[in-house]
Amino acid sequence: MKLIHTGAEWNPHWLSHLQSNRQIGFVPTMGALHQGHLDLVQTSKSKMDVTVVSIFVNPTQFNNPKDFEKYPITLDADLEKLESIGVDYVFLPSIETMYPSPSCLTLDFGDLERVLEGRFRPGHFNGVGIIVSKLFHMIKPHIAFFGQKDLQQVAVIKRLVKDLSFDIQLETVLTRRETDGLAMSSRNMRLNNEERQKALLLFTSLIKAKNQLMEGRPWLSIKSEIEKEFDQVELARLEYFELIHPDTFEIKNDFDPNQKSSICVAAYIGEVRLIDNLPIIP
C-alpha cells in the first residue's frame, strides 16, 4: 500500500495504470473508517484493477465549526484497516494541498439545496461539491464508490458529474448496519452508551413507517406519529422525517406504490447529529 500526498505525486502512478489499461476505482472518505467504508473498498477491489482511498476531513462542508473540531481522527487505525484488505493507494492530502487559497467558487445544486440536508445544513453541499470535484480532477478514477446512507449526497454528486461532464461512473453501495440495525457512521464514535441505545430510534422508526406504508396507512398520519414518538424520547431531537423520491428528492405527502420512494430521517441524539434512510420502492 502506497501513501500519496499530492496530485503531482499521484500522476506518474495514474499514467502508468492508464498506459497499462488498468481500471481505477476511488473511495473518498473523511477517515474514522468503519465496515461501511470497507464495504465500499471491497466493492472497488472486486470490480477494479486498482483501488485508491482518500482520507481528508474537508473543512468547507461543515456548516457547524464545532462539528468539524469534534470529528474523530483515527488515522493510524484507518491505515491498518486499509492495508489489511489490500488497498493499493491511500491519498492523504493536507488542507494546504486541497485549498492552496480560499475557494471563491460557489456551487448551487438547485432544489437539492433547499430540502432535507440542504435546508438544515446551508453551504454543506457546496463544500461537498468543491472537494469531490477537486478529488475527481486529481485522482481521475474510472468509477467512484459512495454509500447509500448519504443518499442526498449521492444525488448531489450524480448531478455534479452530469452537469460538469465528468468522465466518471458512480456506484452506490448499500448501507452497512450494526447487528441491531443502527446505520454505521463515524459519528457513532461520539455517542455514549445511553445515546447509542437511543440512536436506534432512527432505524426502528424507518422500519415501522415502511411496514405501515405497505399496509396502506396514509403517510402523513405515519409521519405525525413518528414525530410524536421522537418528542417523547429524552436526548432525541428530530429535524426531519420525510418520504421522498430518491432521484429528485421531491418531498411526497402521499405514497404511490408505482413510484420510487425512500424515507429519510435526521435527528440529534444528544449533541450528535445522525442521518439514515430506507428504500420503500427501489
Side-chain angles (χ1 to χ4, degrees), residues 208-244:
K208 177 179 179 180
K210 178 176 181 177
N211 290 340
Q212 293 186 352
L213 272 180
M214 302 312 288
E215 291 168 1
R217 187 176 175 193
W219 164 249
L220 291 180
S221 173
I222 297 170
K223 177 182 173 181
S224 177
E225 183 176 304
I226 296 295
E227 289 172 341
K228 290 176 183 176
E229 289 180 3
F230 269 90
D231 286 342
Q232 294 167 3
V233 175
E234 190 178 0
L235 298 177
R237 177 165 61 87
L238 182 67
E239 280 197 337
Y240 61 75
F241 193 85
E242 299 287 0
L243 181 69
I244 58 97

Side-chain angles (χ1 to χ4, degrees), residues 27-46:
V27 180
T29 82
M30 294 204 299
L33 302 183
H34 51 69
Q35 188 57 49
H37 295 110
L38 301 185
D39 286 352
L40 300 178
V41 175
Q42 295 283 25
T43 303
S44 175
K45 282 178 56 61
S46 70

Side-chain angles (χ1 to χ4, degrees), residues 73-88:
I73 305 296
T74 58
L75 182 58
D76 289 343
D78 293 344
L79 294 177
E80 284 182 16
K81 290 175 183 176
L82 295 176
E83 186 158 31
S84 72
I85 61 174
V87 167
D88 300 291

Side-chain angles (χ1 to χ4, degrees), residues 13 27 52 81 87 106 116-117 157 165 180 190 210 275:
H13 299 284
V27 180
V52 182
K81 290 175 183 176
V87 167
T106 300
L116 307 191
E117 293 299 287
I157 295 169
S165 301
D180 57 9
R190 294 175 51 197
K210 178 176 181 177
I275 63 172

Side-chain angles (χ1 to χ4, degrees), residues 58-73:
N58 177 39
T60 66
Q61 70 189 67
F62 287 84
N63 57 312
N64 182 346
K66 290 184 179 179
D67 202 18
F68 174 64
E69 293 168 7
K70 292 180 179 179
Y71 194 86
I73 305 296

Side-chain angles (χ1 to χ4, degrees), residues 5-276:
H5 298 88
T6 67
E9 196 178 340
W10 164 245
N11 279 337
H13 299 284
W14 170 78
L15 185 58
S16 173
H17 294 307
L18 191 68
Q19 291 171 335
S20 301
N21 200 30
R22 305 188 81 200
Q23 295 286 297
I24 299 170
F26 178 46
V27 180
T29 82
M30 294 204 299
L33 302 183
H34 51 69
Q35 188 57 49
H37 295 110
L38 301 185
D39 286 352
L40 300 178
V41 175
Q42 295 283 25
T43 303
S44 175
K45 282 178 56 61
S46 70
K47 297 186 174 188
M48 312 302 287
D49 301 308
V50 177
T51 293
V52 182
V53 177
S54 67
I55 297 177
F56 179 70
V57 184
N58 177 39
T60 66
Q61 70 189 67
F62 287 84
N63 57 312
N64 182 346
K66 290 184 179 179
D67 202 18
F68 174 64
E69 293 168 7
K70 292 180 179 179
Y71 194 86
I73 305 296
T74 58
L75 182 58
D76 289 343
D78 293 344
L79 294 177
E80 284 182 16
K81 290 175 183 176
L82 295 176
E83 186 158 31
S84 72
I85 61 174
V87 167
D88 300 291
Y89 300 91
V90 181
F91 185 50
L92 296 168
S94 65
I95 290 180
E96 292 72 26
T97 294
M98 300 311 296
Y99 296 101
S101 59
S103 178
C104 298
L105 180 68
T106 300
L107 298 175
D108 188 323
F109 292 94
D111 49 333
L112 289 171
E113 294 274 5
R114 288 174 272 285
V115 296
L116 307 191
E117 293 299 287
R119 176 188 168 200
F120 284 94
R121 301 183 69 186
H124 169 65
F125 287 134
N126 174 65
V128 169
I130 294 293
I131 194 61
V132 169
S133 296
K134 286 174 176 278
L135 290 168
F136 281 177
H137 281 304
M138 288 180 170
I139 304 301
K140 300 176 281 289
H142 295 92
I143 302 180
F145 298 85
F146 293 89
Q148 184 196 60
K149 186 180 78 69
D150 296 301
L151 189 64
Q152 193 169 0
Q153 176 177 279
V154 171
V156 162
I157 295 169
K158 284 180 178 177
R159 188 167 294 182
L160 180 81
V161 166
K162 179 184 176 185
D163 288 0
L164 296 184
S165 301
F166 279 103
D167 188 19
I168 295 172
Q169 295 180 48
L170 302 178
E171 184 161 330
T172 307
V173 178
L174 295 177
T175 301
R176 167 71 75 143
R177 299 184 179 277
E178 304 285 358
T179 54
D180 57 9
L182 182 67
M184 289 190 179
S185 169
S186 301
R187 296 172 189 266
N188 293 350
M189 297 181 186
R190 294 175 51 197
L191 299 170
N192 63 33
N193 290 338
E194 182 182 7
E195 291 166 343
R196 170 64 179 77
Q197 195 60 34
K198 297 288 177 65
L200 286 174
L201 182 59
L202 277 78
F203 178 64
T204 57
S205 297
L206 290 171
I207 293 296
K208 177 179 179 180
K210 178 176 181 177
N211 290 340
Q212 293 186 352
L213 272 180
M214 302 312 288
E215 291 168 1
R217 187 176 175 193
W219 164 249
L220 291 180
S221 173
I222 297 170
K223 177 182 173 181
S224 177
E225 183 176 304
I226 296 295
E227 289 172 341
K228 290 176 183 176
E229 289 180 3
F230 269 90
D231 286 342
Q232 294 167 3
V233 175
E234 190 178 0
L235 298 177
R237 177 165 61 87
L238 182 67
E239 280 197 337
Y240 61 75
F241 193 85
E242 299 287 0
L243 181 69
I244 58 97
H245 190 291
D247 296 332
T248 65
F249 268 76
E250 174 191 358
I251 293 178
K252 297 174 174 289
N253 289 325
D254 50 40
F255 174 60
D256 183 346
N258 297 311
Q259 289 189 354
K260 285 185 176 181
S261 59
S262 295
I263 304 174
C264 295
V265 59
Y268 279 91
I269 304 297
E271 295 184 356
V272 182
R273 186 177 185 275
L274 300 175
I275 63 172
D276 201 353

